[in-house]
Amino acid sequence: MSRAHKYHQPNAPNIFPEGPDSDIELDLQELGPRGSSENGKALGNNNGQRGHSAAVENSGHIPLQNLRASRLRSSGRRTRKLDRGQEDAESSVGAAEEPNYETDLADSSEAYNIGDATPLLHSDVHEQTARARSGLFWHRFHLPKFLSRSSGYTSIEDESADVDVRTSESGTPRSINIGQHPARRFPPNAVSNAKYTPWSFLPRTLYNEFSFFINMYFLLVSLSQIIKPLRIGVLWSYIVPLAFVLTITLGKEAFDDIARRRRDSEANKELYTILRLRDVSKDSLKRNNRSGKALRLGKTRTRSGTANQQRLDAIEEEEENVGHNSSGMSNIEMDEIHVRSRDLKVGDVVKLGKGQRVPADLIILKSLTTESAVASTLLHDTNAESAIPLNLLDSQTVEGPKAALDITETLPEQPKARRNPLASGDHDRVGETFIRTDQLDGETDWKLRLASPLTQSLDPRDFIMLTIVAGKPVKKVNEFVGKIELTSRKKDLLSQHPPLESNPVDQTRKVLTAPLTIDNTAWANTVLASSTTVLAVVVYTGAQTRQALSTSASRSKVGLLELEINNLTKLLCALTLTLSAVLVGLQYYYTKSELPWYVSVTRFLILFSTIIPISLRVNLDLGKSVYAWFIERDHDMPGAVVRTSTIPEDLGRIEYLLSDKTGTLTQNEMDLRKIHVGTVSYANEAMEEVSSYVRQGFSNTSSTEVNESSMLVTPSSLLNASSTSGTATRTRREIGCRVRDVVLALALCHNVTPITEEVDGNIVTAYQASSPDEIAIVRWTESVGLRVVHRDRHSIALQSVDSSRVVVRVRILDVFPFTSEGKRMGIIVQYLQGAESSVTSLTELGEIWFYQKGADTVMTTIVAANDWLDEETANMAREGLRTLVVGRRKLSSQQYADFASSYKEASMSLRSREANMAQSIRTHLEYNLELLGVTGVEDKLQENVKPSLELLRNAGIKIWMLTGDKVETARCVAISSKLVSRAQHIHTITSLHTLARSTATAASDTLSLLAANPDSTALLIDGDSLSHLLKHHRHAFISLAVLLPAVIACRCSPTQKADIALLIRAYTKKRIACVGDGGNDVSMIQAADVGVGIVGKEGRQASLAADFSITQFHHLTKLLLWHGRNSYKRSAKLAQFVIHRGLLISVCQTVYSVATHYEPNALFRDWLLIGYSTVYTQFSVFSLVLDRDVDEALANLYPELYKELTPGTSLSYKTFCLWLLVSVYQGTIIQYLSQFLVGSATSPSLLAVSFTALVINELVMVAMAVTTWHWIMVASILGTAAIYIGSVPFMGTYFDLVFVWSWGFVWRVVAILGVSLVPPYVIRVVGRTLRPPSYRKVRGV
């Protein structure tokens, strides 16, 4: 177990005696090489310790090199280059070799050239030699054992403080010398949501494109035209369409990916302040290096007194020049420079302020409050010494019993000229700060983070003496193992951190270590929440951060409609092959062909290639761009961005919606809405009555003079004041007393710290805490008249808002923080009595009270019997409020002494410590508490969340809420947001993994209960139970969960969210959408078929990684029910018409081949073939992307219209067969009647009639399919007809122009079109009349 040490100021006087181990009286044998067998043996045997430490202990002397300060010395005879681990051991001072920040810190791995005479900062030269001899590398560093949460730090030689990292989960560690960039290449600190790299773009996109059967088919058709016997027409007529399709598709992918890179670049260019440390004694170092080298190379090896004295004088002079200046401070200068986020390197010291996002994974070195920064000048100007109590164990321990060690130290006067503005003030010694992690793990509670006591008191210029050993990058966001080492450059610096007298440490040790845990970290994408200035060092960057490791790689998404069309093209190909084989068989049966059968089959396949229209992909891709344009230009959805334009049709096919909670459904802003005190409830305007009661109890003072102090209030004085009030009835006095008691309890029972900060030149008071609930409650107490003005680890002061006087002062005796298991928090306080001005002596100690608040599920058994608690908490829960039950208990001095003794004994137990401590609290405190009241806190929902969820539910979408927050919080939000309706029962599954250990059938029984009534049951499950079910009952759980109308999963990690999305996709084969706003939602968003990111207050990471970006959750309803529905129906209709267009011309080709004795000759060649699918039909067919069957109001009024689309009825095998029959009928009629009316199958007149009928037939079919006309549709149809008529005079090569300009041509075309179009139209009208579609019903037509 690590030992606690006294904690002294950086400039505390040196307490080391000049004994035989001091560097003033060195044994001259230490100046020689370490060649003795004894030392060599010690160095060669590491045994889990550093080589130089073993040498020191075995030799009994301090090697001279270990007392050197500054950079490590390299042997002049050494020619091989050190590996990364050795470079870590011999890293030079980063300030001595000043990095070139003006060149974007590009050369982060530059090796320093260290000369023989370079003075040393670390004492690792012989350690390096020992490792080289034993074949051990840098992974032989040892991490400290974390047997306790003590913040004490130990000497590196203390074997009990180390544990072999090979047994640690963190694996091989990395060693980071602060202020300098390591030689090892670490990944750049850049955010990247791009799908492709410049090298992978073409291979990946071409693979994706040719994985579609239609593209592969046309590639083979195009290549076949190189073979002369298979050639039909000119080669370019086949190559150009394929090349055009690929160019459009690849260009769109490139455009989307370039846009992603630009957005990533904006995030990566965000500026951050880092500290650059420079050694201003560089020239002095060089002079001393030359002097030291001359001494070492001197031929005189005598041990005479004169020679010894000269050598020692030179050594001391070198140390003085290297390590310190005349005032005793370091020669390291510190500059603040601004760098881009992507240019941050491992080892950089970053300066962060309130509200700033953490750009990389950091270790906190120092934390300074804003208050201390404002008052630093006053603090630094004082010459008086002050005694400050400091509890090192408390500074490192977030939960658990308080340490019994209080150390009082005296702060010496600091030289004003050298005082650093970033130095710690007295009240900054603990190094506390709060961060928000909701974008990392989804938890809304603020997290307390601490600077290591080893670094909190250091001047930032002394950070250059620190080395951090951290584990390898891992996914676990709640775990971290590491240590920090302080290597002194001069013996008196070590005296800043002397050991306790009861734990003496060898004065010769030069390295102090302290453990690093998760409490000392700030991971990337978290936000600094408190009003502090934090100095932290970068340990992991880019792809190695916890955030990046928890994020799955982006993938290329393909829409369900495209997969369905791909299957249809395979069916068309089979149809083409069958038709070709039949025609070749008939050819060989009736005639004798000169071509081999396989050549004839291939030529027919090429002739019928139009059945599989290559323009289909082009039309669909262009349609997607139009839909994206509509979404981004929608005035009701400002800020909407389409980042993946290949899947807009999937927005109309969503059946499962997975949503985050914090920042997505809620604003994460708490507000106390209701309070109940047993007989009366207060909410809204009734809060004014609460304020009046508080003013009566806390605003009255014993003096009328403003300058005179008021008497402090205690619960007993409140009760006496109420009983002596004669103006009110007894009932009102009792109610007023209860109201004041509950307000007082809420103002004291919390972990909120008030802070003052300057905003626009005004000093304002803000609150910081680990939970937004507690801040909401404290703000409410202030709004009703009782303000928390001071809070530290030892005391709380409350001020009357009305009189601006401090009316309550208490000492904090014990705090029992909130835990997920306990679901409650408590505090024991002792009131101070008398006049407010006399309490500074701490002599007038009064009543001791125990206050507790918690969830009603646990507080019901703790408070005294009552008849209203269960009913009132149920009422608040139905309103979606987060309920907290408040109670209190008065303790006598003897009762508290008994508890303190029992609790201390429990805290010292080695086994079942937590259980024993909890039992002590239950035995002495948690029984028969006086029930004061119940509070209802509302987590404010995003705008229009309730109607949005109702619309989505009515549209047939099953909604899952996945959050990292607590079970109680998720339950309240699910109810308040109407995710769970009043008619639905919430089935809760928690701690199933624990229950399963004792009951083998626990999981099966739970699922059986859930399956009893799945239609009206919502599931609420925690992350551990979910993991257990997915591991042991995967199929049974998912088959049941997908049937439920709503599922709420709590305490989910980012990886779990993504796994759930993938599991639903794999099991149901349905389209799922995931929506979130934080970095912890990125994996889920990328795993979904459709990822929707919300641009929120917490950043844009989810938005950047999503397929669609919106600014409000309620925009999702329009995105799905309007834009998604229209996109799918339009693309389905567009695909049907493109397939119909290709089938028509292929059927005409078939009829022509039969008429020409089954010869594989082309009916339409060259321009006719290309022009038909482009300029003569393209614009009219593509104009269908503007069609709509209902307007937006009806789509929102009847969300059931959306539900009809999810099975994919708009484009199915049924609709395909119907269009196939129509195409066969019309193609046969057009070609057969053309041949019949013209009287010849080979004349140019036939070509003119049949081709003209084809074009006009397609234009009329488009007009018949339009539901809502748009002026562009009219223009495209009439314009296409005009273009065709205008081009006919230029087609003399194909048509008989004389015949075209005759009446015979006109009546033949009209007759053919009448027979071709009238029957399909009549059937269409009759079908709509007998079975009208839903959209015609709601439109009333």
Side-chain angles (χ1 to χ4, degrees):
M1 220 172 150
S2 56
R3 301 178 180 89
H5 289 67
K6 285 185 178 179
Y7 193 71
H8 279 232
Q9 276 295 98
N11 291 331
N14 183 14
I15 67 169
F16 282 166
E18 294 185 0
D21 288 334
S22 70
D23 62 348
I24 304 301
E25 298 183 7
L26 294 172
D27 191 335
L28 294 181
Q29 291 180 352
E30 299 168 11
L31 300 179
R34 297 187 177 190
S36 67
S37 60
E38 182 181 2
N39 288 356
K41 182 178 179 180
L43 288 169
N45 183 15
N46 198 317
N47 289 332
Q49 302 296 321
R50 292 192 176 220
H52 75 89
S53 302
V56 170
E57 292 173 357
N58 290 333
S59 65
H61 300 293
I62 308 173
L64 173 63
Q65 291 88 338
N66 284 3
L67 296 177
R68 298 272 189 172
S70 186
R71 296 181 299 172
L72 293 173
R73 180 183 310 167
S74 299
S75 173
R77 295 182 296 274
R78 183 170 58 201
T79 57
R80 66 183 179 85
K81 194 170 183 177
L82 302 176
D83 66 5
R84 166 62 187 152
Q86 296 163 340
E87 288 171 354
D88 281 345
E90 296 185 358
S91 295
S92 59
V93 177
E97 292 292 337
E98 180 179 340
N100 185 7
Y101 289 93
E102 283 71 17
T103 58
D104 283 342
L105 306 173
D107 193 8
S108 63
S109 58
E110 177 183 358
Y112 295 99
N113 296 322
I114 307 171
D116 248 355
T118 306
L120 306 180
L121 173 61
H122 299 287
S123 55
D124 296 336
V125 144
H126 295 289
E127 176 188 357
Q128 171 62 43
T129 307
R131 289 176 183 165
R133 291 176 183 174
S134 61
L136 299 177
F137 292 93
W138 65 287
H139 64 273
R140 298 289 292 177
F141 279 102
H142 290 174
L143 296 178
K145 291 180 180 178
F146 296 95
L147 299 180
S148 71
R149 298 290 298 272
S150 171
S151 62
Y153 38 83
T154 66
S155 171
I156 199 169
E157 288 85 0
D158 189 358
E159 186 171 341
S160 67
D162 286 348
V163 61
D164 196 327
V165 296
R166 290 172 294 181
T167 66
S168 171
E169 291 184 1
S170 298
T172 304
R174 60 176 62 183
S175 184
I176 302 166
N177 296 308
I178 295 179
Q180 57 186 287
H181 299 150
R184 179 181 174 184
R185 176 66 66 179
F186 293 113
N189 191 50
V191 176
S192 177
N193 290 293
K195 292 182 180 179
Y196 311 103
T197 66
W199 311 110
S200 67
F201 176 74
L202 278 178
R204 287 185 60 184
T205 51
L206 290 177
Y207 174 80
N208 291 335
E209 288 305 309
F210 287 114
S211 63
F212 286 98
F213 178 80
I214 187 172
N215 288 341
M216 179 59 70
Y217 178 82
F218 272 96
L219 176 64
L220 296 176
V221 168
S222 300
L223 294 176
S224 69
Q225 296 305 291
I226 301 176
I227 304 173
K228 190 172 183 179
L230 302 179
R231 185 175 299 170
I232 299 176
V234 293
L235 181 62
W236 64 265
S237 63
Y238 293 90
I239 298 294
V240 170
L242 178 63
F244 178 74
V245 169
L246 294 178
T247 300
I248 293 295
T249 306
L250 267 64
K252 196 161 67 67
E253 280 290 309
F255 179 81
D256 290 344
D257 211 51
I258 290 173
R260 292 189 194 96
R261 288 183 176 274
R262 287 176 177 171
R263 291 187 292 268
D264 290 341
S265 178
E266 293 177 4
N268 292 328
K269 287 180 179 179
E270 187 175 358
L271 292 179
Y272 287 88
T273 301
I274 68 171
L275 304 185
R276 180 177 60 177
L277 305 176
R278 297 186 300 115
D279 194 341
V280 296
S281 60
K282 187 183 250 187
D283 295 336
S284 176
L285 282 175
K286 293 180 180 179
R287 290 194 299 269
N288 284 285
N289 288 344
R290 290 193 294 269
S291 175
K293 186 174 182 179
L295 285 174
R296 287 193 301 274
L297 296 179
K299 295 181 179 180
T300 303
R301 298 291 181 177
T302 180
R303 301 186 63 177
S304 64
T306 304
N308 293 346
Q309 188 62 39
Q310 289 176 350
R311 180 173 293 181
L312 291 175
D313 291 343
I315 292 168
E316 291 183 354
E317 181 182 357
E318 177 184 357
E319 290 177 351
E320 289 294 333
N321 289 330
V322 171
H324 294 72
N325 57 19
S326 60
S327 63
M329 296 298 290
S330 172
N331 280 323
I332 303 300
E333 280 195 355
M334 180 179 66
D335 297 330
E336 291 186 4
I337 63 173
H338 298 285
V339 298
R340 293 170 291 190
S341 174
R342 69 183 182 192
D343 294 329
L344 291 174
K345 311 290 185 185
V346 172
D348 281 341
V349 179
V350 183
K351 179 182 176 183
L352 297 173
K354 180 180 179 181
Q356 269 194 292
R357 183 168 301 280
V358 177
D361 285 357
L362 309 177
I363 297 294
I364 297 174
L365 302 177
K366 196 178 188 73
S367 177
L368 300 144
T369 65
T370 304
E371 293 172 289
S372 66
V374 174
S376 60
T377 304
L378 297 176
L379 179 64
H380 300 155
D381 286 344
T382 180
N383 293 327
E385 297 182 356
S386 59
I388 297 177
L390 183 67
N391 192 330
L392 287 179
L393 294 180
D394 280 350
S395 69
Q396 188 74 353
T397 305
V398 181
E399 297 179 7
K402 290 188 176 182
L405 175 64
D406 285 330
I407 303 171
T408 302
E409 64 174 344
T410 300
L411 305 181
E413 177 184 356
Q414 292 280 18
K416 298 179 184 178
R418 299 295 298 176
R419 183 70 181 191
N420 194 313
L422 292 177
S424 299
D426 295 343
H427 46 291
D428 290 317
R429 202 70 57 80
V430 177
E432 293 180 350
T433 190
F434 285 93
I435 61 172
R436 292 201 305 269
T437 63
D438 50 326
Q439 299 302 296
L440 183 67
D441 56 19
E443 296 186 16
T444 57
D445 291 356
W446 290 9
K447 304 297 188 303
L448 176 66
R449 290 295 184 259
L450 305 167
S452 172
L454 190 62
T455 60
Q456 176 65 20
S457 66
L458 286 180
D459 188 285
R461 290 169 297 176
D462 292 330
F463 288 168
I464 207 164
M465 297 182 298
L466 297 173
T467 299
I468 289 178
V469 181
K472 68 178 181 181
V474 293
K475 285 184 178 181
K476 300 177 181 178
V477 297
N478 294 320
E479 295 183 13
F480 177 73
V481 177
K483 69 177 178 180
I484 189 166
E485 302 172 355
L486 172 63
T487 305
S488 76
R489 294 181 295 179
K490 189 176 173 68
K491 62 176 184 176
D492 62 347
L493 188 60
L494 192 61
S495 65
Q496 299 170 12
H497 307 281
L500 292 173
E501 294 179 0
S502 60
N503 181 24
V505 176
D506 189 353
Q507 302 281 335
T508 63
R509 295 175 182 173
K510 300 187 63 62
V511 178
L512 293 179
T513 65
L516 294 175
T517 67
I518 188 64
D519 295 331
N520 307 118
T521 63
W523 298 142
N525 212 40
T526 59
V527 178
L528 191 64
S530 55
S531 298
T532 56
T533 298
V534 170
L535 302 181
V537 62
V538 178
V539 288
Y540 304 114
T541 54
Q544 293 183 348
T545 61
R546 291 319 200 252
Q547 174 69 47
L549 292 174
S550 300
T551 303
S552 59
S554 60
R555 61 185 179 92
S556 297
K557 297 183 179 181
V558 179
L560 181 59
L561 182 68
E562 292 195 33
L563 296 177
E564 293 171 343
I565 291 175
N566 195 49
N567 293 331
L568 292 179
T569 56
K570 295 177 183 178
L571 187 61
L572 289 173
C573 181
L575 178 64
T576 303
L577 182 61
T578 302
L579 184 60
S580 301
V582 169
L583 291 176
V584 171
L586 293 174
Q587 179 188 19
Y588 275 85
Y589 181 79
Y590 289 106
T591 62
K592 187 76 172 179
S593 175
E594 299 179 355
L595 298 174
W597 67 270
Y598 53 87
V599 174
S600 298
V601 170
T602 305
R603 286 176 63 89
F604 271 120
L605 284 174
I606 297 171
L607 285 174
F608 296 145
S609 62
T610 54
I611 292 180
I612 309 173
I614 191 172
S615 61
L616 178 59
R617 289 295 309 281
V618 176
N619 280 277
L620 290 178
D621 287 345
L622 293 176
K624 296 174 193 295
S625 299
V626 173
Y627 309 148
W629 190 89
F630 285 149
I631 293 173
E632 293 182 344
R633 301 305 189 279
D634 193 327
H635 297 296
D636 295 331
M637 299 168 54
V641 178
V642 178
R643 307 197 190 280
T644 304
S645 58
T646 58
I647 56 173
E649 298 91 355
D650 279 6
L651 292 171
R653 308 282 296 278
I654 300 300
E655 294 190 49
Y656 291 90
L657 175 66
L658 277 59
S659 174
D660 179 41
K661 178 187 73 69
T662 307
T664 304
L665 298 178
T666 69
Q667 302 179 33
N668 196 24
E669 294 181 3
M670 308 299 174
D671 187 19
L672 194 149
R673 307 288 297 177
K674 192 174 185 180
I675 185 169
H676 191 91
V677 294
T679 57
V680 64
S681 179
Y682 298 95
N684 302 323
E685 293 80 7
M687 291 297 180
E688 289 295 330
E689 188 174 349
V690 176
S691 301
S692 66
Y693 286 134
V694 172
R695 283 194 298 269
Q696 292 173 12
F698 294 98
S699 296
N700 56 340
T701 64
S702 60
S703 174
T704 58
E705 299 294 331
V706 177
N707 295 331
E708 294 186 16
S709 299
S710 61
M711 298 299 292
L712 294 178
V713 176
T714 65
S716 298
S717 66
L718 284 177
L719 180 61
N720 295 333
S722 298
S723 61
T724 57
S725 177
T727 58
T729 65
R730 179 179 177 181
T731 302
R732 285 190 59 83
R733 288 199 302 269
E734 290 178 354
I735 293 175
C737 184
R738 297 185 66 85
V739 168
R740 286 188 287 269
D741 286 341
V742 73
V743 171
L744 179 60
L746 292 174
L748 293 175
C749 187
H750 55 74
N751 279 311
V752 179
T753 302
I755 58 173
T756 57
E757 54 187 1
E758 187 174 342
V759 177
D760 298 331
N762 300 319
I763 302 298
V764 297
T765 300
Y767 299 105
Q768 62 184 28
S770 61
S771 171
D773 298 62
E774 293 202 320
I775 294 179
I777 292 174
V778 172
R779 284 177 176 166
W780 177 81
T781 63
E782 180 181 3
S783 68
V784 296
L786 199 59
R787 177 188 296 129
V788 181
V789 292
H790 172 77
R791 165 70 185 261
D792 57 26
R793 291 178 178 270
H794 309 289
S795 64
I796 300 177
L798 305 181
Q799 181 188 66
S800 170
V801 175
D802 187 51
S803 63
S804 298
R805 296 176 183 271
V806 174
V807 293
V808 177
R809 286 189 183 271
V810 298
R811 290 180 60 197
I812 300 175
L813 301 182
D814 287 284
V815 176
F816 313 104
F818 180 91
T819 62
S820 300
E821 295 78 18
K823 301 179 183 178
R824 59 193 182 275
M825 73 88 56
I827 187 172
I828 301 178
V829 298
Q830 185 172 28
Y831 285 87
L832 304 185
Q833 301 178 135
E836 194 275 330
S837 60
S838 65
V839 301
T840 56
S841 62
L842 305 182
T843 57
E844 300 181 57
L845 302 179
E847 307 165 7
I848 299 177
W849 286 83
F850 168 61
Y851 292 100
Q852 190 171 61
K853 65 182 180 184
D856 59 285
T857 53
V858 296
M859 293 295 291
T860 302
T861 59
I862 296 175
V863 298
N866 62 89
D867 58 357
W868 60 269
L869 179 58
D870 293 339
E871 180 182 358
E872 188 58 33
T873 53
N875 292 336
M876 290 188 182
R878 280 190 289 270
E879 297 176 21
L881 301 179
R882 304 164 70 165
T883 57
L884 283 176
V885 179
V886 186
R888 69 176 182 177
R889 175 183 175 83
K890 187 175 182 180
L891 303 176
S892 66
S893 299
Q894 184 59 44
Q895 287 176 323
Y896 176 71
D898 293 342
F899 162 73
S901 176
S902 172
Y903 191 72
K904 181 178 180 181
E905 181 180 354
S907 67
M908 300 299 291
S909 58
L910 298 179
R911 292 186 179 181
S912 303
R913 176 181 298 179
E914 296 295 333
N916 292 338
M917 293 165 60
Q919 181 60 38
S920 176
I921 296 174
R922 285 193 296 268
T923 302
H924 294 274
L925 301 177
E926 293 181 339
Y927 65 92
N928 287 334
L929 266 63
E930 179 188 353
L931 177 58
L932 296 179
V934 181
T935 64
V937 177
E938 179 188 35
D939 189 353
K940 293 182 180 178
L941 299 175
Q942 294 281 1
E943 182 182 358
N944 293 328
V945 162
K946 294 180 183 180
S948 298
L949 290 177
E950 185 177 1
L951 273 176
L952 294 174
R953 188 165 49 244
N954 293 336
I957 299 176
K958 294 181 173 63
I959 305 173
W960 290 39
M961 185 173 75
L962 311 180
T963 176
D965 218 332
K966 299 184 290 291
V967 174
E968 292 78 11
T969 305
R971 179 195 296 271
C972 293
V973 172
I975 295 174
S976 63
S977 64
K978 305 302 180 184
L979 175 63
V980 178
S981 66
R982 289 180 177 270
Q984 293 174 350
H985 166 69
I986 300 180
H987 182 79
T988 305
I989 302 177
T990 58
S991 303
L992 182 62
H993 61 295
T994 304
L995 186 61
R997 296 192 187 105
S998 57
T999 307
T1001 61
S1004 301
D1005 295 342
T1006 300
L1007 293 178
S1008 298
L1009 291 174
L1010 188 62
N1013 192 8
D1015 294 334
S1016 60
T1017 303
L1019 174 62
L1020 175 63
I1021 186 171
D1022 65 355
D1024 291 335
S1025 301
L1026 179 63
S1027 298
H1028 179 81
L1029 289 174
L1030 293 181
K1031 183 178 180 180
H1032 301 287
H1033 307 273
R1034 189 181 191 89
H1035 179 78
F1037 171 73
I1038 193 63
S1039 61
L1040 182 59
V1042 296
L1043 301 177
L1044 302 176
V1047 176
I1048 303 101
C1050 314
R1051 294 295 184 187
C1052 287
S1053 66
T1055 305
Q1056 273 185 318
K1057 292 182 178 182
D1059 291 343
I1060 293 173
L1062 293 173
L1063 183 61
I1064 297 175
R1065 283 182 54 206
Y1067 181 81
T1068 63
K1069 308 299 181 184
K1070 306 294 185 180
R1071 297 285 99 174
I1072 69 170
C1074 293
V1075 56
D1077 73 316
N1080 62 314
D1081 302 319
V1082 170
S1083 295
M1084 175 182 69
I1085 286 173
Q1086 293 179 338
D1089 296 300
V1090 176
V1092 181
I1094 296 179
V1095 180
K1097 296 180 292 184
E1098 306 304 333
R1100 299 181 298 169
Q1101 188 164 356
S1103 169
L1104 293 175
D1107 304 308
F1108 300 89
S1109 173
I1110 56 179
T1111 57
Q1112 294 288 335
F1113 180 84
H1114 68 91
H1115 293 165
L1116 185 65
T1117 56
K1118 187 170 187 180
L1119 185 66
L1120 299 181
L1121 303 186
W1122 177 243
H1123 291 289
R1125 185 177 184 277
N1126 286 340
S1127 298
Y1128 171 63
K1129 289 188 69 69
R1130 290 165 175 172
S1131 287
K1133 184 178 289 187
L1134 179 63
Q1136 291 168 345
F1137 265 92
V1138 173
I1139 293 174
H1140 168 261
R1141 184 177 62 187
L1143 284 171
L1144 269 182
I1145 198 170
S1146 297
V1147 171
C1148 291
Q1149 175 66 50
T1150 302
V1151 174
Y1152 174 76
S1153 297
V1154 171
T1156 57
H1157 307 290
Y1158 311 106
E1159 288 294 329
N1161 297 321
L1163 171 62
F1164 305 114
R1165 296 174 179 269
D1166 304 336
W1167 170 249
L1168 294 182
L1169 193 64
I1170 296 176
Y1172 173 72
S1173 58
T1174 54
V1175 295
Y1176 297 147
T1177 59
Q1178 173 62 30
F1179 298 112
S1180 58
V1181 171
F1182 187 72
S1183 67
L1184 292 173
V1185 299
L1186 302 175
D1187 193 19
R1188 63 182 185 185
D1189 53 358
V1190 295
D1191 57 22
E1192 184 181 348
L1194 286 176
N1196 289 329
L1197 185 61
Y1198 300 99
E1200 294 78 9
L1201 292 173
Y1202 182 89
K1203 189 176 182 179
E1204 294 179 350
L1205 302 183
T1206 52
T1209 55
S1210 295
L1211 182 62
S1212 61
Y1213 289 109
K1214 178 182 178 180
T1215 58
F1216 171 76
C1217 292
L1218 291 176
W1219 279 97
L1220 178 63
L1221 292 176
V1222 172
S1223 301
V1224 170
Y1225 169 77
Q1226 290 184 332
T1228 302
I1229 291 297
I1230 290 173
Q1231 187 60 30
Y1232 179 78
L1233 287 182
S1234 296
Q1235 295 174 178
F1236 176 77
L1237 295 177
V1238 173
S1240 173
T1242 57
S1243 68
S1245 300
L1246 168 69
L1247 209 59
V1249 172
S1250 62
F1251 189 79
T1252 302
L1254 271 178
V1255 172
I1256 298 177
N1257 180 86
E1258 190 68 17
L1259 296 179
V1260 175
M1261 286 293 292
V1262 170
M1264 289 168 56
V1266 173
T1267 304
T1268 304
W1269 282 95
H1270 192 280
W1271 69 268
I1272 294 181
M1273 295 178 176
V1274 178
S1276 63
I1277 293 175
L1278 297 180
T1280 299
I1283 290 175
Y1284 176 72
I1285 294 173
S1287 64
V1288 168
F1290 303 96
M1291 291 192 289
T1293 308
Y1294 310 102
F1295 296 167
D1296 182 357
L1297 296 180
V1298 176
F1299 174 73
V1300 168
W1301 300 116
S1302 64
W1303 284 107
F1305 170 79
V1306 175
W1307 75 260
R1308 287 178 173 84
V1309 170
V1310 171
I1312 292 171
L1313 290 175
V1315 178
S1316 171
L1317 293 171
V1318 171
Y1321 177 76
V1322 172
I1323 294 174
R1324 182 186 180 94
V1325 171
V1326 172
R1328 287 182 175 180
T1329 303
L1330 297 178
R1331 298 183 61 184
S1334 299
Y1335 75 88
R1336 292 181 65 88
K1337 294 179 182 178
V1338 299
R1339 291 179 61 182
V1341 295

